[in-house]
Amino acid sequence: KLTAVNAASGDAFAYSVALDGDTALVGAHLDDDQGPNSGAAYVLVGSGALWAQQQKLAFAAGAAQDEPGSSVALDGNTALVGACQPGRPR
């Protein structure tokens, strides 16, 4: 079971997930840390059966309704975090 250290129940943690080897990139597009639905993505690294949060990714100038984490992709050390504009389809 993958969890984030500071994810709240309404963050939509794991709305999107990408895996590459022992690294997971997990989207939480409804995270509210920088305003309602300002979004985030989490980098988690696994070792055997244990997984640990390595980083929380959010826009430096995040704002309400940005929703990064609505889509994610991972390839080696490169992470892509998609955002959804309000009123646009996901």
Side-chain angles (χ1 to χ4, degrees):
K1 179 178 178 179
L2 299 179
T3 59
V5 173
N6 57 348
S9 63
D11 287 351
F13 181 80
Y15 179 84
S16 57
V17 176
L19 295 171
D20 188 14
D22 60 357
T23 303
L25 182 61
V26 181
H29 72 287
L30 299 180
D31 180 276
D32 294 328
D33 286 358
Q34 294 177 299
N37 301 341
S38 54
Y42 294 84
V43 179
L44 296 103
V45 177
S47 178
L50 301 175
W51 288 80
Q53 180 178 323
Q54 183 178 50
Q55 184 83 32
K56 180 179 179 179
L57 306 173
F59 288 161
Q65 308 304 323
D66 281 347
E67 296 190 28
S70 56
S71 60
V72 295
L74 183 63
D75 185 17
N77 291 330
T78 303
L80 299 174
V81 179
C84 181
Q85 293 179 333
R88 301 275 178 136
R90 291 193 171 98

Coordinates of all heavy atoms in Angstrom, one line a residue:
K1 N 0.9 -1.2 0.0 CA 0.0 0.0 0.0 C 0.9 1.2 0.0 O 1.7 1.4 0.9 CB -0.9 0.0 1.2 CG -1.8 1.2 1.3 CD -2.7 1.1 2.5 CE -3.6 2.3 2.7 NZ -4.5 2.2 3.8
L2 N 0.7 2.1 -1.0 CA 1.5 3.3 -1.1 C 0.7 4.5 -0.4 O -0.5 4.6 -0.7 CB 1.8 3.7 -2.5 CG 2.6 2.7 -3.3 CD1 2.8 3.2 -4.7 CD2 3.9 2.4 -2.7
T3 N 1.3 5.2 0.4 CA 0.7 6.4 1.0 C 1.7 7.5 1.1 O 2.9 7.3 1.0 CB 0.3 6.1 2.5 OG1 1.4 5.7 3.3 CG2 -0.8 5.0 2.5
A4 N 1.2 8.7 1.2 CA 2.1 9.9 1.3 C 2.1 10.4 2.8 O 1.1 10.2 3.5 CB 1.6 11.0 0.4
V5 N 3.1 11.0 3.1 CA 3.3 11.4 4.5 C 2.2 12.5 4.9 O 1.6 12.4 5.9 CB 4.7 12.0 4.8 CG1 4.8 12.7 6.1 CG2 5.8 11.0 4.6
N6 N 1.9 13.4 4.0 CA 1.0 14.5 4.3 C -0.2 14.6 3.4 O -0.8 15.6 3.3 CB 1.8 15.8 4.3 CG 2.4 16.1 3.0 OD1 2.5 15.2 2.2 ND2 2.9 17.3 2.8
A7 N -0.6 13.5 2.7 CA -1.8 13.5 1.9 C -3.0 13.5 2.7 O -3.1 12.7 3.7 CB -1.8 12.4 0.9
A8 N -4.0 14.2 2.4 CA -5.3 14.3 3.1 C -6.3 13.4 2.3 O -6.1 13.1 1.1 CB -5.8 15.7 3.2
S9 N -7.4 13.0 2.9 CA -8.4 12.1 2.3 C -9.0 12.6 1.0 O -9.3 11.9 0.2 CB -9.4 11.7 3.3 OG -10.2 12.9 3.7
G10 N -9.1 13.9 0.9 CA -9.8 14.5 -0.3 C -8.8 14.9 -1.4 O -9.2 15.6 -2.3
D11 N -7.5 14.5 -1.3 CA -6.5 15.0 -2.2 C -6.5 14.2 -3.6 O -5.9 14.6 -4.5 CB -5.1 14.8 -1.6 CG -4.8 15.9 -0.6 OD1 -5.6 16.8 -0.4 OD2 -3.7 15.7 0.1
A12 N -7.3 13.1 -3.6 CA -7.3 12.2 -4.8 C -5.9 11.6 -5.0 O -5.5 11.5 -6.2 CB -7.8 12.9 -6.0
F13 N -5.3 11.2 -3.9 CA -4.0 10.6 -4.0 C -4.1 9.3 -4.8 O -5.0 8.5 -4.6 CB -3.5 10.2 -2.6 CG -2.1 9.6 -2.6 CD1 -1.0 10.3 -2.7 CD2 -2.0 8.2 -2.4 CE1 0.3 9.7 -2.7 CE2 -0.7 7.6 -2.4 CZ 0.4 8.4 -2.5
A14 N -3.3 9.1 -5.8 CA -3.2 7.9 -6.7 C -4.3 8.1 -7.8 O -4.6 7.1 -8.5 CB -3.4 6.6 -6.0
Y15 N -4.8 9.3 -8.1 CA -5.7 9.5 -9.2 C -4.9 9.1 -10.5 O -5.5 8.6 -11.4 CB -6.1 11.0 -9.3 CG -7.0 11.3 -10.5 CD1 -8.3 11.1 -10.4 CD2 -6.4 11.9 -11.6 CE1 -9.2 11.5 -11.4 CE2 -7.3 12.2 -12.7 CZ -8.6 12.0 -12.6 OH -9.4 12.3 -13.6
S16 N -3.6 9.4 -10.5 CA -2.8 8.9 -11.6 C -1.5 8.4 -11.0 O -1.0 8.8 -10.0 CB -2.4 10.1 -12.6 OG -1.8 11.2 -11.8
V17 N -0.9 7.3 -11.7 CA 0.2 6.6 -11.2 C 1.1 6.2 -12.3 O 0.6 5.8 -13.3 CB -0.1 5.4 -10.3 CG1 1.1 4.6 -9.9 CG2 -1.0 5.7 -9.2
A18 N 2.4 6.4 -12.2 CA 3.4 5.9 -13.1 C 4.5 5.2 -12.4 O 4.9 5.6 -11.3 CB 4.0 7.1 -13.9
L19 N 5.0 4.1 -12.9 CA 6.0 3.3 -12.3 C 7.2 3.1 -13.2 O 7.0 2.9 -14.4 CB 5.5 1.9 -11.9 CG 4.4 1.8 -10.9 CD1 3.8 0.4 -10.8 CD2 4.9 2.3 -9.5
D20 N 8.4 3.2 -12.7 CA 9.6 2.9 -13.4 C 10.6 2.2 -12.4 O 11.1 2.9 -11.6 CB 10.2 4.1 -14.1 CG 11.4 3.7 -15.0 OD1 11.5 2.5 -15.4 OD2 12.1 4.6 -15.4
G21 N 10.7 0.9 -12.6 CA 11.6 0.2 -11.6 C 11.0 0.3 -10.2 O 9.9 0.0 -10.0
D22 N 11.9 0.8 -9.3 CA 11.5 0.9 -7.9 C 11.0 2.3 -7.5 O 11.0 2.7 -6.4 CB 12.6 0.4 -7.0 CG 13.9 1.3 -7.1 OD1 13.9 2.1 -8.0 OD2 14.8 1.0 -6.4
T23 N 10.6 3.1 -8.6 CA 10.2 4.5 -8.3 C 8.8 4.6 -8.8 O 8.4 4.2 -9.9 CB 11.1 5.5 -9.1 OG1 12.4 5.3 -8.6 CG2 10.7 6.9 -8.8
A24 N 7.9 5.3 -8.0 CA 6.5 5.5 -8.4 C 6.3 7.1 -8.3 O 6.8 7.8 -7.4 CB 5.6 4.9 -7.4
L25 N 5.6 7.6 -9.3 CA 5.2 8.9 -9.3 C 3.6 8.9 -9.2 O 3.0 8.3 -10.0 CB 5.6 9.6 -10.6 CG 5.2 11.1 -10.8 CD1 5.9 11.9 -9.7 CD2 5.7 11.6 -12.2
V26 N 3.1 9.5 -8.1 CA 1.7 9.4 -7.8 C 1.1 10.8 -7.8 O 1.5 11.7 -7.0 CB 1.6 8.7 -6.4 CG1 0.1 8.6 -6.1 CG2 2.3 7.4 -6.4
G27 N 0.1 11.0 -8.6 CA -0.6 12.3 -8.7 C -1.7 12.4 -7.6 O -2.3 11.4 -7.2
A28 N -1.9 13.6 -7.1 CA -2.9 14.0 -6.2 C -3.4 15.4 -6.6 O -3.2 16.4 -6.0 CB -2.4 14.0 -4.7
H29 N -4.2 15.4 -7.7 CA -4.6 16.7 -8.3 C -5.5 17.5 -7.5 O -5.7 18.7 -7.8 CB -5.2 16.4 -9.7 CG -6.5 15.8 -9.7 ND1 -6.8 14.5 -9.4 CD2 -7.7 16.3 -10.0 CE1 -8.1 14.2 -9.5 NE2 -8.7 15.3 -9.8
L30 N -6.1 17.0 -6.4 CA -7.0 17.8 -5.5 C -6.3 18.2 -4.2 O -7.0 18.7 -3.3 CB -8.3 17.0 -5.3 CG -9.1 16.7 -6.5 CD1 -10.4 15.9 -6.1 CD2 -9.4 17.9 -7.3
D31 N -5.0 18.1 -4.1 CA -4.3 18.5 -3.0 C -4.5 20.0 -2.8 O -4.6 20.8 -3.8 CB -2.8 18.3 -3.2 CG -1.9 18.8 -2.1 OD1 -1.6 20.0 -2.0 OD2 -1.5 17.9 -1.2
D32 N -4.7 20.5 -1.5 CA -5.1 21.9 -1.3 C -4.0 22.7 -0.6 O -4.3 23.8 -0.1 CB -6.3 21.9 -0.4 CG -7.6 21.3 -1.1 OD1 -7.7 21.4 -2.3 OD2 -8.4 20.7 -0.4
D33 N -2.8 22.2 -0.6 CA -1.7 23.0 0.2 C -1.5 24.4 -0.3 O -1.1 25.2 0.5 CB -0.4 22.2 0.2 CG -0.4 21.0 1.0 OD1 -1.5 20.7 1.7 OD2 0.6 20.2 1.1
Q34 N -1.7 24.7 -1.6 CA -1.5 26.0 -2.1 C -2.8 26.7 -2.6 O -2.8 27.6 -3.4 CB -0.5 26.0 -3.3 CG 0.9 25.6 -2.8 CD 1.8 25.4 -4.0 OE1 1.6 24.7 -4.9 NE2 2.9 26.3 -3.9
G35 N -3.9 26.2 -2.1 CA -5.2 26.7 -2.4 C -6.1 25.5 -2.9 O -5.5 24.4 -3.1
P36 N -7.4 25.7 -3.0 CA -8.3 24.6 -3.4 C -7.9 23.9 -4.7 O -7.7 24.7 -5.7 CB -9.6 25.2 -3.5 CG -9.6 26.4 -2.6 CD -8.1 26.9 -2.7
N37 N -7.7 22.6 -4.7 CA -7.3 21.9 -5.9 C -6.0 22.4 -6.6 O -5.9 22.4 -7.8 CB -8.4 21.8 -6.9 CG -9.7 21.2 -6.3 OD1 -9.6 20.5 -5.3 ND2 -10.8 21.5 -6.9
S38 N -5.1 22.9 -5.8 CA -3.8 23.3 -6.3 C -2.9 22.2 -6.8 O -2.0 22.4 -7.6 CB -3.1 24.2 -5.3 OG -2.9 23.5 -4.1
G39 N -3.2 21.0 -6.3 CA -2.6 19.8 -6.8 C -1.1 19.5 -6.4 O -0.4 20.4 -6.0
A40 N -0.7 18.3 -6.6 CA 0.7 17.9 -6.4 C 0.9 16.5 -6.9 O 0.0 15.8 -7.4 CB 1.0 17.9 -4.9
A41 N 2.2 16.1 -6.9 CA 2.6 14.7 -7.2 C 3.6 14.3 -6.3 O 4.4 15.1 -5.8 CB 3.1 14.6 -8.7
Y42 N 3.7 13.0 -6.0 CA 4.6 12.5 -5.0 C 5.5 11.5 -5.6 O 5.1 10.6 -6.4 CB 3.9 11.8 -3.9 CG 3.0 12.7 -3.0 CD1 1.7 13.0 -3.4 CD2 3.5 13.2 -1.8 CE1 0.9 13.9 -2.6 CE2 2.7 14.0 -1.0 CZ 1.4 14.4 -1.5 OH 0.7 15.2 -0.7
V43 N 6.8 11.5 -5.3 CA 7.8 10.5 -5.7 C 8.0 9.6 -4.5 O 8.4 10.0 -3.4 CB 9.1 11.2 -6.1 CG1 10.1 10.1 -6.5 CG2 8.9 12.2 -7.2
L44 N 7.8 8.3 -4.8 CA 8.0 7.3 -3.7 C 9.0 6.3 -4.3 O 8.9 5.9 -5.5 CB 6.7 6.6 -3.4 CG 5.6 7.5 -2.7 CD1 4.6 7.9 -3.7 CD2 5.0 6.8 -1.5
V45 N 9.9 5.8 -3.4 CA 10.9 4.8 -3.8 C 10.7 3.6 -3.0 O 10.6 3.7 -1.8 CB 12.3 5.4 -3.7 CG1 13.4 4.4 -4.0 CG2 12.5 6.7 -4.5
G46 N 10.8 2.4 -3.7 CA 10.6 1.2 -3.0 C 11.9 0.4 -2.8 O 12.8 0.5 -3.6
S47 N 11.9 -0.3 -1.7 CA 13.0 -1.3 -1.4 C 12.4 -2.5 -0.9 O 11.9 -2.5 0.3 CB 14.0 -0.6 -0.4 OG 15.0 -1.5 -0.1
G48 N 12.3 -3.5 -1.7 CA 11.6 -4.7 -1.3 C 10.1 -4.4 -1.1 O 9.5 -3.9 -2.0
A49 N 9.6 -4.8 0.0 CA 8.1 -4.5 0.3 C 7.9 -3.1 0.9 O 6.7 -2.7 1.1 CB 7.6 -5.6 1.2
L50 N 8.9 -2.4 1.2 CA 8.8 -1.1 1.8 C 8.9 0.1 0.8 O 9.8 0.0 0.0 CB 9.9 -0.9 2.9 CG 9.8 -1.9 4.1 CD1 11.0 -1.7 5.0 CD2 8.5 -1.8 4.8
W51 N 8.0 1.0 0.9 CA 8.1 2.2 0.1 C 8.1 3.5 0.9 O 7.5 3.5 2.0 CB 6.8 2.3 -0.8 CG 6.8 1.3 -1.9 CD1 6.5 -0.1 -1.8 CD2 7.1 1.5 -3.3 NE1 6.6 -0.7 -3.0 CE2 7.0 0.2 -3.9 CE3 7.5 2.6 -4.0 CZ2 7.2 0.1 -5.3 CZ3 7.8 2.4 -5.4 CH2 7.6 1.2 -6.0
A52 N 8.9 4.4 0.5 CA 9.1 5.7 1.3 C 8.9 6.9 0.4 O 9.4 6.9 -0.8 CB 10.5 5.7 1.9
Q53 N 8.3 7.9 0.9 CA 8.1 9.1 0.1 C 9.5 9.8 0.0 O 10.1 10.1 1.0 CB 7.1 10.1 0.8 CG 6.9 11.4 0.1 CD 5.8 12.2 0.8 OE1 4.9 11.7 1.3 NE2 6.1 13.5 0.8
Q54 N 9.9 10.2 -1.2 CA 11.2 10.9 -1.4 C 11.0 12.4 -1.6 O 11.8 13.2 -1.1 CB 11.9 10.3 -2.6 CG 13.3 10.9 -2.8 CD 13.9 10.2 -4.0 OE1 13.3 10.1 -5.1 NE2 15.2 9.7 -3.8
Q55 N 9.9 12.8 -2.3 CA 9.7 14.2 -2.6 C 8.2 14.4 -2.9 O 7.5 13.6 -3.4 CB 10.5 14.5 -3.9 CG 10.5 15.9 -4.4 CD 11.5 16.7 -3.6 OE1 12.5 16.2 -3.3 NE2 11.2 18.0 -3.5
K56 N 7.8 15.6 -2.6 CA 6.4 16.1 -3.0 C 6.7 17.2 -4.0 O 7.4 18.1 -3.8 CB 5.6 16.6 -1.8 CG 4.3 17.1 -2.2 CD 3.5 17.6 -1.0 CE 2.1 18.2 -1.5 NZ 1.3 18.7 -0.4
L57 N 6.1 17.0 -5.2 CA 6.2 18.0 -6.3 C 5.0 18.9 -6.4 O 3.9 18.3 -6.4 CB 6.5 17.3 -7.6 CG 7.6 16.3 -7.6 CD1 7.6 15.5 -8.9 CD2 8.9 17.0 -7.4
A58 N 5.1 20.2 -6.4 CA 4.0 21.1 -6.7 C 4.6 22.3 -7.4 O 5.8 22.5 -7.5 CB 3.4 21.6 -5.3
F59 N 3.7 23.0 -8.1 CA 4.1 24.2 -8.8 C 4.7 25.2 -7.8 O 4.2 25.4 -6.7 CB 2.9 24.9 -9.5 CG 2.4 24.2 -10.7 CD1 1.1 24.4 -11.2 CD2 3.2 23.2 -11.4 CE1 0.7 23.8 -12.3 CE2 2.7 22.5 -12.5 CZ 1.4 22.8 -12.9
A60 N 5.8 25.9 -8.2 CA 6.5 26.8 -7.3 C 5.5 28.0 -7.0 O 5.5 28.5 -5.9 CB 7.7 27.4 -8.0
A61 N 4.8 28.4 -8.0 CA 3.8 29.5 -7.8 C 2.4 28.9 -7.9 O 1.6 29.4 -8.7 CB 4.0 30.6 -8.8
G62 N 2.1 27.8 -7.2 CA 0.8 27.1 -7.3 C -0.3 28.0 -6.9 O -0.2 28.9 -6.1
A63 N -1.5 27.7 -7.6 CA -2.7 28.5 -7.3 C -3.9 27.5 -7.3 O -3.8 26.4 -7.8 CB -2.9 29.6 -8.3
A64 N -5.0 28.0 -6.8 CA -6.2 27.2 -6.8 C -6.6 26.8 -8.2 O -6.4 27.5 -9.1 CB -7.3 28.0 -6.2
Q65 N -7.0 25.5 -8.3 CA -7.5 24.9 -9.5 C -6.5 24.6 -10.6 O -6.8 24.3 -11.7 CB -8.6 25.8 -10.2 CG -9.8 26.2 -9.2 CD -10.5 25.1 -8.6 OE1 -10.6 24.0 -9.2 NE2 -10.8 25.2 -7.3
D66 N -5.2 24.7 -10.2 CA -4.1 24.3 -11.2 C -4.2 22.8 -11.5 O -3.9 22.4 -12.6 CB -2.7 24.6 -10.6 CG -2.3 26.1 -10.8 OD1 -3.0 26.8 -11.5 OD2 -1.3 26.5 -10.1
E67 N -4.4 22.0 -10.5 CA -4.6 20.5 -10.5 C -3.4 19.8 -11.2 O -3.6 18.8 -11.9 CB -5.9 20.2 -11.2 CG -7.1 20.6 -10.5 CD -8.4 20.1 -11.0 OE1 -8.4 19.0 -11.6 OE2 -9.4 20.7 -10.9
P68 N -2.1 20.1 -10.9 CA -1.1 19.2 -11.3 C -1.2 17.9 -10.6 O -1.7 17.8 -9.5 CB 0.2 19.9 -10.9 CG -0.2 20.8 -9.7 CD -1.6 21.2 -10.1
G69 N -0.9 16.8 -11.3 CA -1.1 15.5 -10.8 C -2.3 14.8 -11.4 O -2.5 13.6 -11.2
S70 N -3.0 15.5 -12.3 CA -4.1 14.9 -13.0 C -3.6 13.8 -14.0 O -4.3 12.9 -14.3 CB -5.0 15.9 -13.7 OG -4.2 16.7 -14.6
S71 N -2.4 14.0 -14.4 CA -1.7 12.9 -15.2 C -0.2 13.0 -14.8 O 0.3 14.0 -14.5 CB -1.9 13.2 -16.7 OG -1.4 14.4 -17.1
V72 N 0.4 11.8 -14.9 CA 1.9 11.7 -14.6 C 2.5 10.7 -15.5 O 1.9 9.8 -16.0 CB 2.1 11.3 -13.1 CG1 1.6 12.4 -12.1 CG2 1.5 10.0 -12.7
A73 N 3.8 10.9 -15.7 CA 4.6 10.0 -16.5 C 6.0 9.9 -15.9 O 6.5 10.9 -15.3 CB 4.7 10.4 -17.9
L74 N 6.7 8.8 -16.0 CA 8.0 8.6 -15.3 C 8.9 7.8 -16.2 O 8.5 6.7 -16.7 CB 7.8 7.9 -14.0 CG 9.0 7.7 -13.1 CD1 9.6 9.1 -12.7 CD2 8.6 6.9 -11.9
D75 N 10.1 8.2 -16.5 CA 11.1 7.5 -17.3 C 12.5 7.8 -16.7 O 13.0 8.9 -16.8 CB 11.0 7.9 -18.7 CG 12.0 7.1 -19.6 OD1 12.4 6.0 -19.2 OD2 12.3 7.5 -20.7
G76 N 13.0 6.8 -15.9 CA 14.3 7.0 -15.3 C 14.2 8.2 -14.3 O 13.4 8.2 -13.4
N77 N 15.1 9.2 -14.5 CA 15.1 10.3 -13.6 C 14.2 11.5 -14.1 O 14.3 12.6 -13.6 CB 16.5 10.8 -13.4 CG 17.4 9.9 -12.6 OD1 16.8 9.2 -11.7 ND2 18.6 9.8 -12.9
T78 N 13.4 11.2 -15.1 CA 12.6 12.3 -15.7 C 11.1 12.0 -15.3 O 10.6 11.0 -15.5 CB 12.7 12.3 -17.2 OG1 14.1 12.5 -17.5 CG2 11.8 13.4 -17.8
A79 N 10.5 13.0 -14.6 CA 9.1 13.0 -14.2 C 8.3 14.1 -15.0 O 8.8 15.2 -15.0 CB 9.0 13.2 -12.7
L80 N 7.2 13.7 -15.5 CA 6.3 14.7 -16.1 C 5.0 14.7 -15.3 O 4.4 13.7 -15.0 CB 6.0 14.3 -17.6 CG 7.2 14.3 -18.5 CD1 6.7 13.7 -19.9 CD2 7.8 15.6 -18.7
V81 N 4.6 15.9 -15.0 CA 3.4 16.1 -14.2 C 2.4 17.0 -15.0 O 2.7 18.1 -15.2 CB 3.7 16.7 -12.8 CG1 2.4 16.8 -12.0 CG2 4.7 15.8 -12.0
G82 N 1.3 16.4 -15.4 CA 0.3 17.2 -16.2 C -0.6 17.9 -15.3 O -0.9 17.5 -14.1
A83 N -1.1 19.0 -15.7 CA -2.1 19.8 -15.0 C -3.4 20.0 -15.9 O -3.3 19.9 -17.1 CB -1.5 21.2 -14.7
C84 N -4.5 20.2 -15.2 CA -5.7 20.4 -15.9 C -6.2 21.8 -15.7 O -6.3 22.3 -14.6 CB -6.8 19.4 -15.3 SG -8.4 19.5 -16.1
Q85 N -6.6 22.4 -16.8 CA -7.1 23.8 -16.7 C -8.6 23.7 -16.4 O -9.3 22.8 -16.9 CB -7.0 24.6 -18.0 CG -5.5 24.9 -18.3 CD -5.4 25.6 -19.6 OE1 -6.2 25.5 -20.5 NE2 -4.4 26.4 -19.8
P86 N -9.1 24.6 -15.5 CA -10.6 24.5 -15.2 C -11.4 24.6 -16.5 O -11.1 25.4 -17.4 CB -10.8 25.7 -14.3 CG -9.4 26.0 -13.7 CD -8.4 25.6 -14.8
G87 N -12.5 23.8 -16.5 CA -13.4 23.9 -17.7 C -12.9 23.1 -18.8 O -13.6 23.0 -19.8
R88 N -11.7 22.5 -18.8 CA -11.2 21.6 -19.9 C -11.3 20.2 -19.5 O -11.2 19.8 -18.3 CB -9.7 21.9 -20.1 CG -9.4 23.4 -20.5 CD -9.7 23.5 -22.0 NE -9.4 24.9 -22.3 CZ -8.7 25.3 -23.4 NH1 -8.2 24.3 -24.2 NH2 -8.6 26.5 -23.7
P89 N -11.6 19.3 -20.4 CA -11.6 17.9 -20.1 C -10.3 17.4 -19.6 O -9.2 17.9 -20.0 CB -12.0 17.2 -21.4 CG -12.2 18.3 -22.4 CD -11.8 19.6 -21.8
R90 N -10.3 16.4 -18.7 CA -9.1 15.8 -18.2 C -8.6 14.7 -19.2 O -9.2 14.0 -19.8 CB -9.3 15.1 -16.9 CG -9.5 16.2 -15.9 CD -9.4 15.5 -14.5 NE -9.5 16.6 -13.5 CZ -10.5 17.0 -12.8 NH1 -11.7 16.3 -13.0 NH2 -10.5 17.9 -12.0

